[in-house]
């Protein structure tokens, strides 16, 4: 019911471009919404609607993440774009080693610390799954996976991170899947993360 006014506003927008995703963001002037379309991004601020153009050479944003102090979009061609909700400016984020990204998830996001899980596009039947901090994009862990692997939506600040790994049959169809998890094995690092997430009881028992 809380989203009904937003859906009504989106439905009333006069745009011929397909809407891929949207998110709500908080600014000094109140709440506003970013709506990512195939050809542009719409910024809804009260009754005012601004049209923002993608950076030159960029594809459309297919997924958008609100990281508290940052808004980041993942494009169809595997690039990351940062969007400033105050100025409406967008810029490409250069990822180390020119990695192209297939999917992205929030692991942790607060005022002091942001951590993302990134799954690369398939290359020679392999993918890479990385956990990076943001905005430095420094890799904290990295894992090689088969091309038939996907990361699973999960709650922010989850203790473990989950992904699906598929196995093909003789006809090259995925016939079997396994759900796997990644958990910090370094006790000090896990204890520190529990404290950052405000999970004090879990940290005390750990």
């Amino acid at each position: 019911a809380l989203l009904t006014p937003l859906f009504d506003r989106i439905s009333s927008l006069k745009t011929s471009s397909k809407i891929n995703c949207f998110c709500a963001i908080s600014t000094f002037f109140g709440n506003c919404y970013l709506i990512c379309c195939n050809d542009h991004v719409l910024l809804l601020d009260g009754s005012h609607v601004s049209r923002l153009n993608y950076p030159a050479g960029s594809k459309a944003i297919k997924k958008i993440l609100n990281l508290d102090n940052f808004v980041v979009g993942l494009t169809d061609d595997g690039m990351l774009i940062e969007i400033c909700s105050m100025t409406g400016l967008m810029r490409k984020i250069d990822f180390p080693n020119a990695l192209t990204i297939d999917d992205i998830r929030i692991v942790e996001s607060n005022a002091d610390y942001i951590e993302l899980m990134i799954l690369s596009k398939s290359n020679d039947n392999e993918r890479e799954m990385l956990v990076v901090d943001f905005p430095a994009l420094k890799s904290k862990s990295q894992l090689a996976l088969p091309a038939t692997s996907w990361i699973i939506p999960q709650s922010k600040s989850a203790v473990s991170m989950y992904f699906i790994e598929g196995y093909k049959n003789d006809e090259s169809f995925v016939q079997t899947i396994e759900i796997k998890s990644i958990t910090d094995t370094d006790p000090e690092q896990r204890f520190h993360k529990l404290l950052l997430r405000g999970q004090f009881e879990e940290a005390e028992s750990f």
Side-chain angles (χ1 to χ4, degrees):
L2 293 175
L3 291 176
T4 300
L6 173 59
F7 287 137
D8 290 342
R9 289 207 60 193
I10 293 176
S11 301
S12 66
L13 293 175
K14 295 181 180 180
T15 176
S16 58
S17 185
K18 176 188 173 186
I19 295 175
N20 300 321
C21 55
F22 67 89
C23 77
I25 53 178
S26 297
T27 69
F28 294 113
F29 308 106
N31 293 329
C32 59
Y33 302 95
L34 284 169
I35 301 172
C36 302
C37 307
N38 273 352
D39 302 322
H40 52 265
V41 174
L42 298 176
L43 174 61
L44 276 68
D45 185 1
S47 59
H48 183 69
V49 181
S50 301
R51 174 171 170 157
L52 315 178
N53 294 320
Y54 287 118
S58 296
K59 300 289 186 180
I61 290 176
K62 67 177 183 178
K63 176 177 288 187
I64 192 166
L65 302 179
N66 184 351
L67 305 176
D68 297 327
N69 296 324
F70 302 90
V71 179
V72 175
L74 171 63
T75 65
D76 285 326
D77 57 347
M79 305 297 293
L80 293 180
I81 292 179
E82 183 179 351
I83 307 172
C84 177
S85 60
M86 301 296 294
T87 63
L89 296 176
M90 289 189 277
R91 71 174 185 91
K92 292 181 182 179
I93 299 175
D94 294 325
F95 203 90
N97 303 322
L99 185 74
T100 54
I101 302 169
D102 186 52
D103 202 359
I104 187 169
R105 295 281 187 271
I106 300 174
V107 177
E108 182 65 40
S109 177
N110 56 52
D112 303 313
Y113 184 72
I114 299 175
E115 194 172 78
L116 304 174
M117 179 192 288
I118 289 174
L119 184 67
S120 73
K121 286 184 177 291
S122 176
N123 184 21
D124 294 330
N125 293 320
E126 282 193 351
R127 294 179 185 264
E128 282 186 303
M129 186 171 65
L130 303 91
V131 176
V132 302
D133 57 10
F134 189 87
L137 296 179
K138 182 179 178 181
S139 177
K140 308 189 73 174
S141 60
Q142 187 171 337
L143 181 65
L145 297 174
T148 51
S149 301
W150 305 271
I151 51 181
I152 300 174
Q154 51 207 320
S155 61
K156 188 172 68 172
S157 302
V159 174
S160 298
M161 296 168 284
Y162 297 90
F163 66 95
I164 293 175
E165 190 169 317
Y167 300 91
K168 293 183 178 181
N169 58 19
D170 294 338
E171 298 177 348
S172 296
F173 294 105
V174 174
Q175 186 174 21
T176 306
I177 63 171
E178 290 184 358
I179 298 178
K180 298 184 177 182
S181 66
I182 302 173
T183 304
D184 287 321
T185 55
D186 184 343
E188 183 177 351
Q189 186 176 16
R190 187 170 184 182
F191 179 74
H192 181 63
K193 283 188 177 181
L194 289 172
L195 292 178
L196 283 175
R197 295 165 181 169
Q199 298 172 318
F200 302 118
E201 291 184 5
E202 291 87 342
E204 186 176 0
S205 62
F206 177 74

